[in-house]
Amino acid sequence: PRRPERVQPQMRRVRQLLRTIMSSRRKVFLIRHGRTEMNEWMASNPSSHDDPGFKDTVLTPAGEEGARKLADVAPEVDVVLASPLRRTLQTACLAYPNASIVAFPLAAERRWHSSDEGTPVEELEELFPQVDFSLVKETPYPWFHEGSKEPVPQFVERMCAFREALATREEEKVAVVCHWGVIQSLLNVSAANCEVVETSVDDLSPAPNQIGAWD
């Protein structure tokens, strides 16, 4: 009979192969948040580079309505991951009122304005009691880039970590409620508010040239 110490490495390789196969089959639905007060301001000031100061911007009434309508068409999934910014948490809770929602710091928007800076987790827990914030608590504060534009290499590195984190999850169907910049960097797709983009882990490919037009 084989010695146990030889069997264990083989079993590890088999388990790794199975994880790789499951990862390639895993369905991922990237969902952009609903319309926000910052989206409204940018639409009214398309050429401005000013920061209007909407720290951790929230959904407008129209954005909330869009997220509620999303609940009628949102794909059925095993888990909902959401960026811990308020607009994505709002969207996730409205679109998936009965789902398991996990705050996922790697899915936060690239810091461009103060609207992309987050809220302390203690406040978020009070605002969104139905959300699991354990991953946020495990991440050193601030879990978002603070004070200046997040450098492209740093953002791409975070998106690579985002992809790897999805690859190691066990669920077969995963929704990630996130942001324009996240979807653009991973798929080179310019998603509209509340748009659902179906993809797979294998198709997520963070690249600096996909961010250039936004930088």
Side-chain angles (χ1 to χ4, degrees), residues 109 111 116-117 142-151 154:
E109 181 63 292
R111 200 282 184 191
D116 303 317
E117 293 188 5
W143 45 264
F144 50 89
H145 189 79
E146 192 173 32
S148 61
K149 185 165 59 177
E150 186 174 5
Q154 181 175 319

Side-chain angles (χ1 to χ4, degrees), residues 38 42 49-52 110-117:
M38 184 63 180
M42 293 179 70
H49 296 284
D50 294 336
D51 186 341
R110 181 188 177 205
R111 200 282 184 191
W112 182 263
H113 295 98
S114 58
S115 55
D116 303 317
E117 293 188 5

Side-chain angles (χ1 to χ4, degrees), residues 23-30 162 166 172 174 183 186-187 196-205:
S23 172
S24 65
R25 294 178 178 176
R26 182 171 299 119
K27 287 187 177 181
V28 178
F29 301 93
L30 300 181
F162 171 107
L166 287 186
E172 291 186 10
V174 180
I183 300 172
L186 292 169
L187 294 173
V196 180
V197 181
E198 181 175 349
T199 184
S200 69
V201 172
D202 285 352
D203 290 334
L204 302 178
S205 182

Side-chain angles (χ1 to χ4, degrees), residues 120-197:
V121 68
E122 296 80 11
E123 296 180 34
L124 293 176
E125 286 182 313
E126 292 184 7
L127 293 169
F128 305 98
Q130 66 273 54
V131 176
D132 177 359
F133 288 98
S134 57
L135 292 178
V136 180
K137 292 179 178 179
E138 293 171 6
T139 305
Y141 187 85
W143 45 264
F144 50 89
H145 189 79
E146 192 173 32
S148 61
K149 185 165 59 177
E150 186 174 5
V152 170
Q154 181 175 319
F155 181 60
V156 171
E157 181 180 2
R158 178 156 63 84
M159 291 299 96
C160 289
F162 171 107
R163 183 187 184 281
E164 292 307 309
L166 287 186
T168 60
R169 294 194 68 90
E170 297 180 355
E171 300 91 354
E172 291 186 10
K173 293 184 290 185
V174 180
V176 186
V177 183
C178 52
H179 305 270
W180 183 91
V182 171
I183 300 172
Q184 175 71 23
S185 69
L186 292 169
L187 294 173
N188 201 22
V189 170
S190 181
N193 293 115
C194 289
E195 182 175 351
V196 180
V197 181

